[in-house]
Amino acid sequence: MAIRRIFETPDPILRQISKPVETFDDELRTLVADMFETMYVAPGIGLAAVQVGMPIRLIVIDLQEPADPDDPESPVVRQPRVFINPEILWHSDEEVPYTEGCLSVPEQYAEVMRPERIRARWRDENGGEHEMEIDGLLAVCLQHEMDHLEGILFIDHLSRLKRDMVLKKLAKWRKEQGTAKAA
Ligand code: K1U
Ligand code: ZN
C-alpha cells in the first residue's frame, strides 16, 4: 500500500469529469487500498479517485464513528466502504445543512445544503452491485464525493461572497504554512 499525493484547488485535474470504471482487477484494488491509506493518514472520512490524480468514478468512505454513538470517547470503528460508478436513483425534497470540509480545500469548512436522503446504486471493487437508501453523514459524504466525479467542489455550492472568503482564508493558511499557492 502507498500514500498518494492529494491534489488541491486550483489544480485543474479536480475539474475533470471522471470516467466510468470498466475493469475490476488487481490494479483497481491496489488503488482502492492506497486511497484508504491516504484517507486515514490525511485524515478524512472520504476520498474520490480524482483527488489522487486518477479521474475515474471511484470513491472510498469510512465515517470512523465512535462504537457507542452516546459516548464520543468510545473507540472508533472502521467501516471502509467502496463506491464505484455510483448513481443517485432518487433524492428527498428535504435538504439538511452540514458543515463540510475537503482534503482538496485544506482546513476550510462551510455549511452546504444537500438532500437529506438518497437512494444510490453502485459497484464494489469486485464488481458486485449494491443499491441502498442512505441518510445522515453517509448521505452527505457520498453526495460530496459524487460531486468530485463531476469536477465540483463543495465551495461551488457557496455564494460568490462566501466562496471568496473561504479562498482568502485558504491563501492565508497556506502562507502561514509556508506553502503559498494561488487560490
Ligand atoms: O476531501 C474529501 O472529499 C474528504 C472530506 C469528506 C467530507 C467531509 C465532510 C462532509 C462531507 C464530505 C473530508 O474528509 S474533510 C475532513 C473531515 O471531515 C474529517 C477529518 C477527520 C476527522 C473527521 C472528519
Ligand atoms: Zn472533497
Side-chain angles (χ1 to χ4, degrees):
M1 284 200 290
I3 293 167
R4 304 214 181 189
R5 167 190 168 196
I6 297 177
F7 288 74
E8 295 180 4
T9 191
D11 197 298
I13 197 159
L14 294 169
R15 297 308 187 172
Q16 283 195 26
I17 310 275
S18 293
K19 295 226 157 57
V21 172
E22 280 166 9
T23 311
F24 295 78
D25 58 6
D26 285 347
E27 195 183 332
L28 178 75
R29 286 181 282 274
T30 298
L31 175 60
V32 167
D34 287 356
M35 284 174 60
F36 274 117
E37 192 175 8
T38 304
M39 184 196 74
Y40 288 130
V41 166
I45 57 171
L47 195 64
V50 67
Q51 293 180 274
V52 293
M54 302 288 292
I56 60 169
R57 301 183 85 80
L58 160 63
I59 289 164
V60 299
I61 294 179
D62 189 336
L63 302 179
Q64 299 158 77
E65 291 176 312
D68 178 356
D70 296 324
D71 176 10
E73 300 303 312
S74 62
V76 155
V77 210
R78 278 196 176 176
Q79 197 178 356
R81 306 172 201 253
V82 179
F83 297 86
I84 296 172
N85 301 338
E87 293 168 78
I88 293 182
L89 305 174
W90 168 87
H91 66 78
S92 63
D93 290 336
E94 306 82 53
E95 295 198 332
V96 283
Y98 192 86
T99 302
E100 300 190 9
C102 182
L103 299 173
S104 297
V105 190
E107 299 296 320
Q108 308 306 315
Y109 298 88
E111 192 175 278
V112 175
M113 297 291 294
R114 296 189 190 272
E116 184 176 21
R117 278 174 294 123
I118 56 173
R119 182 156 197 94
R121 180 162 60 204
W122 67 95
R123 288 185 185 273
D124 60 36
E125 65 274 37
N126 300 308
E129 272 197 47
H130 303 266
E131 192 178 314
M132 206 172 105
E133 196 162 316
I134 298 172
D135 62 7
L137 180 55
L138 183 57
V140 172
C141 192
L142 182 55
Q143 291 177 82
H144 172 116
E145 301 307 334
M146 286 181 71
D147 270 357
H148 277 299
L149 307 186
E150 304 303 325
I152 296 168
L153 299 175
F154 81 98
I155 52 173
D156 300 334
H157 290 280
L158 308 177
S159 66
R160 176 175 286 267
L161 182 71
K162 281 191 186 159
R163 185 168 56 248
D164 287 350
M165 276 169 57
V166 168
L167 292 175
K168 217 169 160 182
K169 276 173 54 200
L170 175 61
K172 184 168 179 271
W173 177 80
R174 281 176 171 156
K175 209 169 168 187
E176 284 163 6
Q177 299 293 305
T179 57
K181 293 178 198 166

